[in-house]
Structure formats: structure tokens, C-alpha cells
Amino acid sequence: MNKLEAYGHIAALAIRGDLVFPTSVNAALRVQLALDDPDCPIEEAIRLVLQEPQLAARTVALSNSAMFNRTSGPEVVNVRSAIMRIGYHNLFALAAAMVVRSFGAKITNPDVRAKAEQLWQHTVHVACLSRILAREVTGANPDTALFASIVHEVGNFYLLSRADEFPGLLDDDPDNWQPASEEIITREVLAKLNVPEPVSTAIQNLRDGFLQIPPETLLDTLILANQLSPVASPMAPPPRELPPQGDSVIDLFIDDEMMESIMAEAERDAAAMNAALLV
């Protein structure tokens, strides 16, 4: 089966809703569904997190990381305190990260596993950059930007999870028809994961979107974070390069000092997130 046939087959299955998710994804989705309710009682949130030992461990680890403990507060040693520190929105994003990570858990082909790992590192860096850019530059909601970034490559993670079944997915694509199939698959996976419409729309517009000046939206935040990420997506075409600082409209909203600060903080946060999610 060549690349065209493989993508066409998976896209057709996606349109029919026939998406194959690992068992661990379904478990994390149950947690997400409950946490999507802002009125979810704290006791229910604690119960749900404790039902998933990996999520519980990672929630506590993330709450103690520099990403969420910037004031060097006391070490958190239980799920209740961890949820109180990071909040529902970030717990929701952490559950989403488990979903995304789960797609690559059973990949056996070493080349595909390498792509999945690079895609994960790209995702982590984009997530950390998006959170900071939303706070410092675009004015988008930082929690929403973090969540959107964590799931923005979920369609490609899903494709990689099926690559052992469809080796043609790794073939070259000289006719450049792959984007159309990816759009279908990404749209259906986002729908299956119940990603909110504003987030889903921004993700689906990311491939062909253009940065508005000044950048103000979630889409602008995602575009900037993808362009600034030190790790490229192995599934994406070569990114549109940012002109050198000083020769671009980017100086209108990010000067050299701010850029250095953003990149340094994002690198620290990416290390913290990786450490927490490896628990």
C-alpha cells in the first residue's frame, strides 16, 4: 500500500468515525470529559485523578516543577494540593498530554518511534512558548493556548500510531496531496476528542494561517510558537522562516530582550514539563 492509498484509507475510516484509540487514551478521555465541567467538585476531580495512577503522579510532579512553583513554595505531596496549585484548566491540559503521548506508546518501528518522539518534543516546546506568548504578547488565554498547543499535532500522532499497519505512510509525497488527507484526519480526531470548537478551528487553520499584526488571537499565538520552536515537527513541510530580528515586523511586538526572556523561560518550562510527564 503506497502513501496515497494509506492516507486515503485512514481518512475514509476517520470520516466514518472508525478511529482506533489505545485503551489508555479512552481512560484519559474520561478524566477530560469530567474536568471539562467547570462545576466539577474538587472531590470528584481528586477521585478521577487517583483512578489513573500515572495521571496522579504526573499531576503532583508538574505542580512541584518550576513551571507552576515559581515562588519556591512548599513541596506538594498529594493530589488535592497539586490540583489546587495547577488548577482545572492545566489539569485538563495534562490529561490531554497523556492522550497525545499514548498514541505513540505501542509504535514498534524504530523510525516511526523517532518521529513520534521528535513530534512530542516539538509539541512540548510549542506548548510552553504558546503559554508565555499568550501571557506576554498576544493577550490570548494562556491556559487555552497551552491546551491548544498540546493537541495541535494530535492528528499526526494518530497517523504515526497507525504507521505500523500502513508502512506507506512514510513514503515520499512528491505530488503534495498529503495535506488534504491530514486535514480530514485531524478534524475527525479533534472531534472524537471533544476539543472545543474555538480551539479546533485555530488548529485546523494553522497550516495555512498568516500572522496578523499585532498578533492577538489564539491562532496568532500558535503560529508564533510554531515558528519559534527550536524543535520542528517531523510531519510538517519546512516552516515559513522568520526574518532576522531587526528586519521584521516582529520587532514591533517582541524586541531582542523580550525574545531572549521568552525563549529562556520556555526552555525551562519544556524541561519541567518533560520531567513531569516522564514520571
Side-chain angles (χ1 to χ4, degrees):
M1 183 178 288
N2 62 29
K3 193 180 188 81
L4 175 58
E5 293 169 331
Y7 268 93
H9 184 70
I10 295 175
L13 291 174
I15 291 171
R16 295 208 306 264
D18 189 6
L19 296 166
V20 180
F21 285 1
T23 304
S24 53
V25 167
N26 295 319
L29 283 176
R30 287 195 295 272
V31 176
Q32 273 193 285
L33 187 61
L35 293 175
D36 194 33
D37 179 3
D39 296 323
C40 176
I42 182 69
E43 298 300 332
E44 176 66 5
I46 293 169
R47 185 185 69 81
L48 288 167
V49 172
L50 287 174
Q51 282 183 345
E52 300 298 328
Q54 284 192 357
L55 180 59
R58 289 168 178 172
T59 300
V60 172
L62 195 64
S63 71
N64 285 317
S65 73
M67 192 173 182
F68 289 102
N69 188 20
R70 298 192 183 281
T71 59
S72 300
E75 184 178 20
V76 166
V77 294
N78 59 70
V79 168
R80 179 186 298 274
S81 298
I83 293 174
M84 296 296 290
R85 177 174 286 177
I86 73 174
Y88 274 14
H89 285 293
N90 291 311
L91 181 58
F92 186 87
L94 184 58
M98 285 186 61
V99 169
V100 172
R101 267 305 232 179
S102 294
F103 282 118
K106 293 186 177 180
I107 295 173
T108 58
N109 183 305
D111 293 334
V112 180
R113 285 191 69 86
K115 284 181 180 292
E117 182 56 31
Q118 182 179 339
L119 191 60
W120 173 248
Q121 292 306 321
H122 168 76
T123 296
V124 168
H125 281 87
V126 170
C128 294
L129 281 163
S130 290
R131 183 169 174 266
I132 299 165
L133 288 166
R135 186 189 72 213
E136 302 292 341
V137 180
T138 67
N141 183 292
D143 293 335
T144 302
L146 177 68
F147 170 68
S149 299
I150 284 174
V151 298
H152 85 285
E153 290 281 8
V154 72
N156 280 325
F157 275 106
Y158 179 77
L159 284 169
L160 289 176
S161 76
R162 305 296 302 273
D164 284 341
E165 303 168 62
F166 303 99
L169 285 170
L170 300 179
D171 293 348
D172 292 334
D173 182 26
D175 297 325
N176 197 34
W177 52 261
Q178 176 180 332
S181 297
E182 281 185 354
E183 287 175 12
I184 293 170
I185 294 163
T186 295
R187 183 187 69 222
E188 297 304 324
V189 173
L190 290 171
K192 182 75 171 180
L193 297 179
N194 296 311
V195 173
E197 189 274 333
V199 173
S200 178
T201 298
I203 291 170
Q204 291 177 73
N205 289 336
L206 183 56
R207 179 185 292 274
D208 298 316
F210 289 91
L211 185 69
Q212 70 175 10
I213 305 300
E216 297 175 336
T217 67
L218 177 60
L219 176 59
D220 293 328
T221 307
L222 294 175
I223 290 172
L224 269 175
N226 269 272
Q227 291 176 329
L228 294 173
S229 173
V231 181
S233 166
M235 304 290 282
R240 293 188 294 268
E241 290 187 5
L242 287 173
Q245 195 79 342
D247 298 330
S248 166
V249 290
I250 197 172
D251 331 346
L252 297 175
F253 49 89
I254 305 180
D255 60 25
D256 288 343
E257 184 177 356
M258 178 182 282
M259 179 69 78
E260 184 177 349
S261 173
I262 287 172
M263 297 304 291
E265 182 179 346
E267 190 63 35
R268 290 194 298 271
D269 286 351
M273 183 179 286
N274 268 320
L277 291 172
L278 287 174
V279 170

